[in-house]
Amino acid sequence: MVQKVKNKPVDRGFKVFCICDSRSTYLCNFEIYSGKTHFRNEEESLPRHIVKKLCAPYKGKGHLIYMDRYFTIIPLFLDLKDMKIGATGTVSLHRKGIPKDLIKDSKEIPKNHTNVLETPSLTLIQWKDNTRIVNLLSSVFDAQMQNAKRRFRVKDDLMAIPEAILHYNKNAKAVDTFDKLLAYHNLYRKSFKWWKPIFAYLLLVCMLNAYIIYKKVLEKNAKEKIKPLNREEFILSIAESLVEEQREIYLQKRKSKKFGSFSINPKNDCMLEVDDTQRDCAICSAQYKGRRKRTKYWCVTCKVHTCPDTCYDRHRHMRIESMSNRRQRETRRKNSVEKAKEN
């Protein structure tokens, strides 16, 4: 399942095919590539098969889809048009079905010139700005031109640009933007188990999609004027709510294995929180003399600073042991008093 793709910032990993909304960058559908045997189809190529599979839920709804030249082939655009889905994408002139004379003419195109090849169902646009030639195939747009400002110019110069190219530049960045947003809060770790990176990716996708919906809901309720949380605060709020829901259930079910049926009331149980100041860990300092390990975590119930890993578990275990011994002493004292009264 691990793939290696050249000319990518991360050239090795899992390949995921995605469809994102062009306005909100919401991930609408995705498919994880699991090898040629899984996507093997004698009649259809991989780009044609995967795009049709991703667009199947939107059949007959009149959506527009933008793609790069890896997916742009003429049979796919015809299939999408039969599904009532418009398609626009950059295309390689070496694709099957495109006239070969366009490849020769592309080197002789002057600046700011446009070549158009139209059929009843598709339109091929070849446009040259300064040095670079853009080849675009569309089943929606025609050869109509539109005046637009040039990108890296100080002056307000207007330039005639094909309308299809303007729409493509505006709407064809959703997947790249979604990947960039995922990279801001990365959960990937090296692992020998294949499912862990996929689980981390799915978790990140769920959190990002939830944050996009959260911002859209606040925009619709603009009358309340609630300031939205940033993405980090949003993730922390969800984590805290999930922990809070399960904390009471967990504490009620949790019992010490060493002391049998003895358990602590959840209200009096140890609770680890973050303090403003750092202090020495009570467990590490007592176990390793001369070695100091400072930590911000502390038990609110016992008011003792401990490390959040094994030290906290040991501290809680020692507290349970002391409470168990105290309860046993009290029961023995009561039994001895009752026997003395009987005698």
Side-chain angles (χ1 to χ4, degrees):
M1 295 178 66
V2 178
Q3 303 292 319
K4 185 175 181 180
V5 182
K6 296 181 180 179
N7 302 324
K8 290 287 184 178
V10 181
D11 59 350
R12 187 181 296 273
F14 296 93
K15 185 186 292 186
V16 183
F17 300 100
C18 303
I19 289 183
C20 294
D21 181 57
S22 59
R23 295 182 180 179
S24 62
T25 68
Y26 181 88
L27 183 65
C28 302
N29 199 359
F30 71 95
E31 186 73 22
I32 299 175
Y33 181 71
S34 57
K36 293 183 179 180
T37 56
H38 181 70
F39 292 95
R40 178 69 67 181
N41 195 335
E42 298 180 355
E43 299 179 357
E44 297 178 346
S45 60
L46 176 61
R48 183 181 178 184
H49 173 75
I50 194 66
V51 173
K52 288 175 63 178
K53 187 175 181 179
L54 293 175
C55 295
Y58 312 104
K59 182 178 180 180
K61 297 183 179 180
H63 289 283
L64 301 180
I65 183 172
Y66 298 87
M67 61 191 76
D68 58 12
R69 62 180 184 177
Y70 175 77
F71 301 97
T72 304
I73 53 177
I74 293 177
L76 172 62
F77 277 46
L78 297 177
D79 294 340
L80 292 176
K81 192 168 185 179
D82 295 338
M83 298 169 63
K84 296 183 180 180
I85 298 175
T88 302
T90 54
V91 63
S92 174
L93 296 180
H94 298 280
R95 289 288 189 182
K96 186 177 181 180
I98 296 178
K100 294 184 179 180
D101 54 351
L102 284 175
I103 303 176
K104 299 178 181 179
D105 297 336
S106 63
K107 299 179 181 179
E108 302 175 0
I109 297 177
K111 293 182 180 180
N112 304 330
H113 185 75
T114 306
N115 288 336
V116 179
L117 180 62
E118 291 184 332
T119 63
S121 56
L122 298 176
T123 302
L124 178 63
I125 301 172
Q126 193 176 46
W127 179 69
K128 185 175 181 180
D129 183 6
N130 288 328
T131 58
R132 199 172 177 185
I133 300 171
V134 180
N135 302 302
L136 203 73
L137 185 67
S138 177
S139 62
V140 181
F141 300 100
D142 52 11
Q144 186 177 357
M145 306 295 288
Q146 184 176 348
N147 292 328
K149 293 182 180 180
R150 304 197 64 170
R151 188 174 179 183
F152 300 106
R153 293 299 178 96
V154 179
K155 299 180 180 179
D156 296 335
D157 294 336
L158 295 178
M159 180 180 180
I161 301 176
E163 186 180 3
I165 294 178
L166 291 176
H167 284 276
Y168 179 83
N169 292 336
K170 182 180 179 181
N171 301 311
K173 302 176 182 179
V175 176
D176 294 335
T177 305
F178 189 85
D179 291 338
K180 182 177 69 174
L181 293 175
L182 285 180
Y184 289 155
H185 296 82
N186 195 352
L187 292 178
Y188 301 136
R189 299 292 184 271
K190 289 184 179 180
S191 175
F192 292 101
K193 297 183 179 180
W194 62 269
W195 59 268
K196 287 188 177 180
I198 296 179
F199 174 78
Y201 174 79
L202 296 178
L203 183 61
L204 286 172
V205 167
C206 293
M207 297 300 294
L208 183 53
N209 277 354
Y211 183 66
I212 293 171
I213 295 174
Y214 162 75
K215 293 184 68 175
K216 287 294 180 181
V217 170
L218 287 184
E219 289 177 2
K220 290 183 179 180
N221 300 331
K223 297 180 180 179
E224 300 179 2
K225 296 182 180 179
I226 300 175
K227 184 179 179 181
L229 302 173
N230 58 36
R231 190 176 164 199
E232 184 176 356
E233 294 173 348
F234 178 77
I235 294 173
L236 289 176
S237 64
I238 292 179
E240 290 174 358
S241 63
L242 293 174
V243 170
E244 191 65 26
E245 290 178 0
Q246 299 296 327
R247 179 174 176 77
E248 295 183 0
I249 301 174
Y250 171 75
L251 292 177
Q252 290 175 1
K253 292 183 177 180
R254 182 172 178 177
K255 296 181 179 179
S256 176
K257 296 181 180 179
K258 182 176 180 180
F259 305 106
S261 60
F262 178 79
S263 62
I264 299 178
N265 189 353
K267 296 181 180 179
N268 299 327
D269 196 3
C270 295
M271 183 180 297
L272 198 65
E273 290 187 359
V274 181
D275 194 6
D276 297 333
T277 59
Q278 286 188 355
R279 293 188 180 181
D280 294 344
C281 175
I283 306 300
C284 293
S285 302
Q287 184 177 4
Y288 305 102
K289 295 182 179 180
R291 175 185 172 186
R292 297 178 62 188
K293 186 174 181 181
R294 303 178 69 83
T295 179
K296 284 187 175 182
Y297 293 92
W298 74 309
C299 178
V300 182
T301 308
C302 306
K303 297 182 180 180
V304 175
H305 283 70
T306 59
C307 298
D309 44 13
T310 57
C311 293
Y312 172 69
D313 294 336
R314 187 177 176 187
H315 163 71
R316 187 176 182 276
H317 185 81
M318 291 168 61
R319 185 166 182 267
I320 294 174
E321 184 178 3
S322 63
M323 293 180 69
S324 177
N325 294 335
R326 188 185 309 166
R327 185 172 296 181
Q328 290 177 5
R329 287 196 300 268
E330 291 177 357
T331 54
R332 285 197 299 265
R333 187 181 303 137
K334 288 180 181 180
N335 294 334
S336 61
V337 171
E338 290 177 359
K339 288 182 181 179
K341 289 180 179 180
E342 290 177 358
N343 297 330

